[in-house]
Amino acid sequence: MMKIMRSLLVTPATCVAVFCLMLSCSMTAFAAEDVSALEPDGPTASDGRPLYTEETRPDFPVFNSLVGEENFLSITGPNGETVTDFLELQMGMTYDAEIAYNNNGNPRGVRTHAIATETIVKADFPETITDERTLTATISAQNSQPLSVSSSVILVAAEPMALEIIPGSVQIINNNPTNNAVLSEYDFTHDGAPIGTNSMIGIVMYGPENAGSVVFQFRTVSIGEGTIIETSATNSERNIAIPASTTTTKASTEPKNNDWTLMETLGVIVSGAALVMMITYLVCICREARKRR
């Protein structure tokens, strides 16, 4: 039996199986090293998520995470002043809101690895205000890290009023084929409206040349006059917390369980192939031993 095993240990199948196992281990180690290398040692946002510079942009989709991009929701009032933290509303006025987006991914190797998929933009838009409410914009993608980033502006009013998005004003602005495309107001204020670089299907390319904004206008009217987009939802029912300070950027840090890198996928495939070969090799040993008895 020992002679048989020694003779089989030098077969080509054994060499291939050992090579596959070594290759899979190397791929796993490389993937782990690559991911850890992307963890920045620099600044972080107020919610703890990492911020990057042009030199440290990561090899995966991430929105509005360069230093200075944290507060990406801005509102311009009738006086021309633009704010990103706090706005006092006046009755009968129209306001211009902008949600800037920028996929900061910078691919190293496989270029598609940094493309964001299933990207949506959502506004938690209060339909009425009596004293203080919060308008929050969220950008989410199926494969971004973190899954979503948010920015908020606190709205205050000296008297009760209704807020109304002007129909047809929700648009995407960029230097790509989707420029000036109109978003569904219902999707935009509910589950989120898809955006995109070349078509509005959620695929957003990386790089500043593919950055853009979702813009919309809203006006303040007396309660009862305006067409209210949502019938009864309030900030508390939407679970929107009003920040205690003017630092309003938030982000989901939920861990991703389905974001496999190419190297990790190849490692699993090679490991599976090596396992099959080893099992086959052991079966051959048993059969050969039975024949020689």
Side-chain angles (χ1 to χ4, degrees):
M1 181 67 179
M2 294 301 296
K3 292 181 178 180
I4 296 172
M5 293 184 66
R6 281 197 296 268
S7 64
L8 290 174
L9 283 174
V10 294
T11 61
T14 306
C15 297
V16 173
V18 172
F19 173 77
C20 289
L21 286 173
M22 292 177 64
L23 180 61
S24 64
C25 293
S26 299
M27 286 181 171
T28 303
F30 176 82
E33 179 182 357
D34 189 53
V35 171
S36 62
L38 296 174
E39 291 297 329
D41 296 326
T44 59
S46 59
D47 53 23
R49 65 186 175 96
L51 296 177
Y52 305 92
T53 65
E54 281 293 336
E55 292 72 27
T56 62
R57 286 165 53 195
D59 186 23
F60 50 77
V62 55
F63 280 97
N64 297 2
S65 292
L66 293 183
V67 175
E69 291 184 340
E70 308 97 295
N71 298 322
F72 52 86
L73 169 63
S74 61
I75 303 176
T76 302
N79 60 357
E81 181 182 359
T82 300
V83 300
T84 60
D85 50 9
F86 179 89
L87 176 66
E88 184 174 356
L89 299 175
Q90 299 177 356
M91 180 68 76
M93 297 296 176
T94 298
Y95 298 84
D96 296 298
E98 178 180 4
I99 304 169
Y101 69 87
N102 184 12
N103 178 2
N104 305 135
N106 183 26
R108 300 176 180 86
V110 182
R111 300 182 66 85
T112 57
H113 192 203
I115 298 175
T117 59
E118 299 183 27
T119 308
I120 60 173
V121 176
K122 175 184 176 182
D124 287 307
F125 186 79
E127 61 185 30
T128 60
I129 181 172
T130 55
D131 47 15
E132 182 176 296
R133 301 291 288 275
T134 303
L135 172 57
T136 299
T138 302
I139 304 172
S140 307
Q142 182 270 336
N143 61 337
S144 62
Q145 300 181 34
L147 291 175
S148 65
V149 294
S150 298
S151 180
S152 300
V153 172
I154 297 176
L155 307 176
V156 297
E159 59 180 311
M161 61 184 69
L163 307 182
E164 177 187 45
I165 292 181
I166 297 177
S169 68
V170 186
Q171 293 180 293
I172 188 171
I173 305 297
N174 55 35
N175 293 318
N176 306 115
T178 53
N179 183 44
N180 291 326
V182 177
L183 282 67
S184 164
E185 294 166 27
Y186 181 87
D187 292 342
F188 179 61
T189 56
H190 286 72
D191 295 330
I195 62 172
T197 301
N198 297 309
S199 59
M200 301 290 279
I201 58 174
I203 298 176
V204 177
M205 304 295 290
Y206 49 83
E209 67 276 13
N210 296 308
S213 299
V214 172
V215 299
F216 65 98
Q217 292 182 310
F218 68 92
R219 57 194 170 204
T220 55
V221 298
S222 298
I223 293 179
E225 289 184 8
T227 301
I228 305 303
I229 296 175
E230 296 177 324
T231 56
S232 61
T234 64
N235 271 11
S236 59
E237 289 170 338
R238 296 188 190 118
N239 295 318
I240 300 174
I242 297 177
S245 67
T246 57
T247 304
T248 56
T249 302
K250 305 175 185 177
S252 168
T253 56
E254 177 183 348
K256 292 175 61 57
N257 296 323
N258 59 346
D259 185 28
W260 286 81
T261 66
L262 177 63
M263 296 303 298
E264 290 170 333
T265 302
L266 289 176
V268 171
I269 294 174
V270 173
S271 298
L275 180 61
V276 171
M277 294 183 67
M278 291 299 294
I279 293 174
T280 304
Y281 174 64
L282 292 175
V283 171
C284 291
I285 291 177
C286 294
R287 289 180 178 175
E288 187 66 23
R290 289 177 182 176
K291 289 179 182 179
R292 299 194 181 189
R293 285 180 181 177

